[in-house]
Amino acid sequence: LKAPVTRRTMRYVRLFTKTESGRQSFLARYRRAGAYREIVERALRDAGLPEDLAWVAAIESGFDPRAVSPKGAAGLWQFMPETGQSYGLYQSPYLDDRMNLVSSTRAAVTHLRDLYERFGRWDLALASYNMGYDGVLRAMEKYLASPAAQSRRAGAPSELSELSDAKVIPEETANYVPQIYAFAIVAANRS
């Protein structure tokens, strides 16, 4: 996963490696990933996507397939009901495919590929996974209308950090993408 290494990313690398609570959080998620990682990485590999995208699930749900957010997102990949339905995940009072490892992973891989094809960059695709495709488009429009964008250059932002610096995306999203990158960096360099 080619990612720009920003100060935010390095802040999360330090959190995951230098603080006790960060190390414990990283290790718990990393260990829990062991039960699912082979299936997730194979699905990513088969789709031609970077295997580091498996760490989206570490940040989304802590690799807990039964996780449910207060906003209604569910499963390993934390699909909202509407997004899950649009990617073929059946939901009823008795069955929720968002919590099915194979079905939700297949849907997440397709969703991530769709977002990447729309934005052409992983940082914007991952931001869109967090705040929605329309949310990122609205943020880009706000950015283009801002004095900061007009003084720099015309055109769409080239990186998520530009949207973050312009404060046109929520702080949660500004931190979400660097957490995924940091998790991937630490996972690849555990020693």
Side-chain angles (χ1 to χ4, degrees), residues 62-82:
F63 267 102
D64 179 357
R66 299 211 176 271
V68 178
S69 79
K71 292 184 179 180
L76 196 71
W77 297 97
Q78 289 293 283
F79 275 104
M80 291 296 287
E82 303 80 28

Side-chain angles (χ1 to χ4, degrees), residues 8-91:
R8 281 184 198 254
T9 300
M10 293 312 296
R11 184 175 53 186
Y12 285 104
V13 168
R14 283 190 295 278
L15 173 76
F16 292 142
T17 60
K18 302 284 185 197
T19 69
E20 187 59 33
S21 64
R23 275 195 307 269
Q24 287 177 2
S25 173
F26 173 85
L27 286 172
R29 295 172 189 195
Y30 187 82
R31 288 179 182 139
R32 209 173 303 126
Y36 312 108
R37 207 163 132 205
E38 183 179 326
I39 293 167
V40 171
E41 287 179 347
R42 185 176 342 108
L44 291 164
R45 197 171 35 252
D46 290 348
L49 299 180
E51 290 178 30
D52 283 340
L53 290 173
W55 304 123
V56 170
I59 301 306
E60 283 288 342
S61 67
F63 267 102
D64 179 357
R66 299 211 176 271
V68 178
S69 79
K71 292 184 179 180
L76 196 71
W77 297 97
Q78 289 293 283
F79 275 104
M80 291 296 287
E82 303 80 28
T83 307
Q85 286 175 348
S86 67
Y87 282 93
L89 298 176
Y90 178 78
Q91 299 159 59

Side-chain angles (χ1 to χ4, degrees), residues 42-142:
R42 185 176 342 108
L44 291 164
R45 197 171 35 252
D46 290 348
L49 299 180
E51 290 178 30
D52 283 340
L53 290 173
W55 304 123
V56 170
I59 301 306
E60 283 288 342
S61 67
F63 267 102
D64 179 357
R66 299 211 176 271
V68 178
S69 79
K71 292 184 179 180
L76 196 71
W77 297 97
Q78 289 293 283
F79 275 104
M80 291 296 287
E82 303 80 28
T83 307
Q85 286 175 348
S86 67
Y87 282 93
L89 298 176
Y90 178 78
Q91 299 159 59
S92 77
Y94 308 104
L95 177 70
D96 191 340
D97 277 344
R98 295 177 299 161
M99 294 186 183
N100 177 295
L101 174 64
V102 175
S103 299
S104 68
T105 296
R106 189 177 318 119
V109 166
T110 303
H111 186 39
L112 287 164
R113 185 182 54 230
D114 289 349
L115 294 172
Y116 181 76
E117 287 174 0
R118 290 177 178 179
F119 289 107
R121 298 182 51 87
W122 281 115
D123 56 347
L124 296 175
L126 291 170
S128 183
Y129 192 92
N130 180 255
M131 66 181 283
Y133 176 72
D134 291 336
V136 171
L137 290 181
R138 280 192 301 275
M140 292 172 96
E141 288 171 7
K142 272 188 196 176

